[in-house]
């Protein structure tokens, strides 16, 4: 950003405006001395840690990432659920192998997506390949 | 207080990139994206005062402004993958701060009965011998400012009080710089009209 954008400022302040600007600036001056900055910073970081460590955080991040690529949030959430099924030890997943009953559920989920979402996911033909690629991508991206 | 005081309001711009020794916003952002909370902590330390200043100008209430700053940093972290590196961290953060503060203000104005906040009266009411025209002007100005549409009020605050250029405000509010200048022109003109009426009525 530069100051050049203001070169053509069409509304320069007059003396009267300067006075009200000074007055307004003083009237709304932030009370910087009254803020406990260390506590505020600590509160922000603590909350950030709590959110990141929450059990839903990996799913949340995955949904957020996919939705930012243009995948509707609902679809991203369903696909993130697929990932959870895939990676959750309790489901019997062994890493490379999907847990029992995974593929029918995943296929149904993907086939239920809108066409344009399926195009984004490149899921027109091979659902299994697409899901495997997404699992690998999510694992790679953390 | 854990942090040093810093002059505000006069000629402020988006903060320049730090000196050679300190990591740039960009490198901290990249580290934060990979889950490095220490890096994000540095971004918080670097920008929380300016974020608070913006939030306070809009809300005029210290605790509310602190809440907005905290919320804005958390939201920014949650959507950190969406920040365009080319545009940088600050416009994104200040946009979140501004939007959250305006939303907070709307919600508060629905609940509150008194539009002028208590902080200003508690901390900034002048001594009796200084209750003069300046005090009246201040009250008139605050009322005039409050009467502006949200977008125009925000632009006045960012331009005239926080010292951002129209280009910077355009990046924060996601609008062309020319639109910012036009809106600022309309806002200043409206303020002049309102204040002129007020002065007439008081005579």
């Amino acid at each position: 950003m530069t100051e050049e954008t203001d070169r053509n400022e069409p509304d320069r302040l007059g003396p009267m405006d300067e006075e009200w600007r000074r007055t307004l600036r003083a009237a709304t001056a932030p009370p910087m001395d009254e803020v406990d900055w260390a506590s505020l910073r600590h509160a922000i970081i603590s909350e950030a840690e709590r959110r990141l460590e929450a059990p839903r955080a990996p799913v949340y991040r995955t949904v957020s990432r996919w939705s930012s690529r243009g995948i509707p949030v609902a679809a991203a959430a369903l696909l993130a659920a697929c990932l959870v099924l895939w990676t959750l030890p309790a489901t019997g997943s062994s890493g490379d192998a999907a847990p029992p009953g995974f593929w029918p559920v995943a296929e149904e989920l993907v086939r239920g997506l809108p066409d344009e979402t399926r195009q984004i996911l490149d899921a027109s033909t091979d659902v299994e390949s697409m899901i495997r690629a997404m699992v690998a991508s999510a694992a790679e991206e953390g | 207080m854990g942090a040093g005081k810093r002059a505000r309001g006069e000629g402020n711009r988006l903060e320049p990139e730090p000196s050679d020794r300190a990591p740039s916003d960009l490198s901290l952002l990249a580290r934060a994206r990979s889950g490095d909370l220490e890096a994000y902590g540095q971004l918080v330390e670097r920008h929380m005062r300016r974020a608070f200043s913006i939030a306070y100008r809009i809300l005029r209430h210290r605790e509310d402004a602190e809440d907005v700053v905290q919320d804005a940093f958390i939201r920014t972290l949650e959507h950190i993958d969406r920040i365009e590196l080319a545009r940088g961290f600050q416009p994104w953060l200040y946009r979140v701060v501004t939007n959250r503060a305006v939303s907070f203000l709307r919600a508060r104005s629905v609940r509150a009965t008194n539009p002028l906040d208590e902080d200003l009266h508690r901390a900034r009411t002048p001594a009796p011998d200084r209750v003069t025209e300046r005090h009246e002007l201040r009250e008139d100005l605050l009322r005039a400012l409050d009467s502006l549409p949200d977008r125009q009020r925000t632009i006045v605050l960012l331009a005239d009080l926080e010292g951002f250029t129209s280009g910077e405000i355009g990046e924060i509010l996601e609008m062309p710089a020319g639109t910012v200048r036009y809106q600022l022109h309309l806002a200043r003109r409206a303020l002049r009209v309102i204040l002129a009426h007020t002065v007439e009525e008081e005579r």
Side-chain angles (χ1 to χ4, degrees):
Chain A
M1 293 187 196
T2 71
E3 295 180 35
E4 290 182 5
T5 46
D6 271 353
R7 277 183 181 170
N8 297 320
E9 173 63 68
D11 189 40
R12 291 288 178 202
L13 295 174
M16 188 71 168
D17 294 332
E18 288 290 357
E19 184 186 352
W20 67 249
R21 184 160 70 163
R22 275 197 304 274
T23 305
L24 203 50
R25 186 180 286 156
T28 61
M32 308 302 279
D33 293 345
E34 296 176 22
V35 179
D36 185 339
W37 298 107
S39 292
L40 181 57
R41 182 185 185 281
H42 182 261
I44 293 167
I45 298 303
S46 296
E47 179 63 14
E49 282 174 347
R50 192 185 71 75
R51 301 268 182 115
L52 290 179
E53 288 171 2
R56 68 180 179 85
V59 175
Y60 182 89
R61 284 202 302 273
T62 303
V63 172
S64 175
R65 187 159 49 235
W66 287 345
S67 64
S68 72
R69 292 175 187 169
I71 301 173
V73 170
L78 287 173
L79 293 165
C82 282
L83 286 189
V84 172
L85 277 174
W86 181 291
T87 56
L88 213 59
T91 63
S93 168
S94 61
D96 287 340
F102 177 86
W103 288 116
V105 174
E107 295 245 3
E108 196 171 331
L109 283 174
V110 172
R111 297 206 189 289
L113 295 175
D115 285 346
E116 56 190 35
T117 303
R118 289 162 55 85
Q119 282 170 7
I120 293 171
L121 295 172
D122 194 21
S124 55
T125 52
D126 184 355
V127 172
E128 180 172 341
S129 297
M130 185 273 294
I131 292 281
R132 283 184 183 281
M134 292 180 76
V135 170
S137 167
E140 194 174 294
E141 294 177 21
Chain B
M1 292 293 149
K5 286 177 279 184
R6 193 169 61 166
R8 321 195 59 76
E10 296 292 343
N12 277 337
R13 300 282 189 231
L14 291 183
E15 310 291 346
E17 286 295 302
S19 64
D20 293 341
R21 290 182 188 174
S24 67
D25 276 7
L26 203 61
S27 67
L28 290 173
L29 184 58
R31 284 168 50 195
R33 273 182 162 175
S34 63
D36 183 346
L37 264 183
E38 170 61 29
Y40 197 67
Q42 289 186 54
L43 286 170
V44 171
E45 178 66 34
R46 191 174 285 174
H47 299 297
M48 65 180 172
R49 291 165 187 78
R50 190 67 189 275
F52 173 78
S53 180
I54 293 169
Y56 185 85
R57 300 272 193 201
I58 295 170
L59 293 164
R60 296 182 223 146
H61 190 283
R62 180 173 64 81
E63 286 86 358
D64 288 352
E66 288 182 20
D67 287 347
V68 162
V69 169
Q70 180 172 346
D71 185 50
F73 272 110
I74 297 298
R75 282 172 175 265
T76 299
L77 179 63
E78 286 178 340
H79 298 104
I80 201 163
D81 288 337
R82 296 189 195 176
I83 300 176
E84 291 177 41
L85 294 179
R87 296 176 74 175
F89 181 75
Q90 291 180 75
W92 181 285
L93 173 68
Y94 298 154
R95 176 160 58 249
V96 177
V97 169
T98 302
N99 289 341
R100 296 300 297 162
V102 170
S103 298
F104 203 107
L105 188 66
R106 284 182 190 146
R108 194 176 67 185
S109 68
V110 170
R111 296 193 307 266
T113 54
N114 184 359
L116 289 178
D117 60 279
E118 294 175 0
D119 260 16
L120 288 175
H121 289 286
R122 175 175 56 77
R124 300 177 195 291
T125 299
D129 60 335
R130 297 187 63 196
V131 178
T132 59
E133 287 180 5
R134 178 164 290 279
H135 177 61
E136 290 174 9
L137 174 62
R138 189 189 74 176
E139 297 297 313
D140 291 343
L141 277 167
L142 291 175
R143 269 189 286 272
L145 190 67
D146 289 340
S147 72
L148 293 177
D150 285 343
R151 184 46 56 99
Q152 286 185 14
R153 185 173 63 249
T154 302
I155 289 173
V156 168
L157 292 173
L158 293 176
D160 287 338
L161 306 186
E162 283 293 315
F164 287 110
T165 66
S166 50
E168 290 167 341
I169 295 170
E171 291 203 28
I172 292 170
L173 300 181
E174 291 188 302
M175 59 171 63
T179 305
V180 172
R181 285 194 293 272
Y182 181 62
Q183 290 294 320
L184 183 59
H185 166 73
L186 293 180
R188 286 172 174 168
R189 191 172 65 183
L191 284 174
R192 287 182 198 117
V193 170
I194 295 167
L195 290 171
H197 277 297
T198 305
V199 170
E200 281 296 315
E201 285 172 7
E202 287 172 356
R203 277 178 182 165

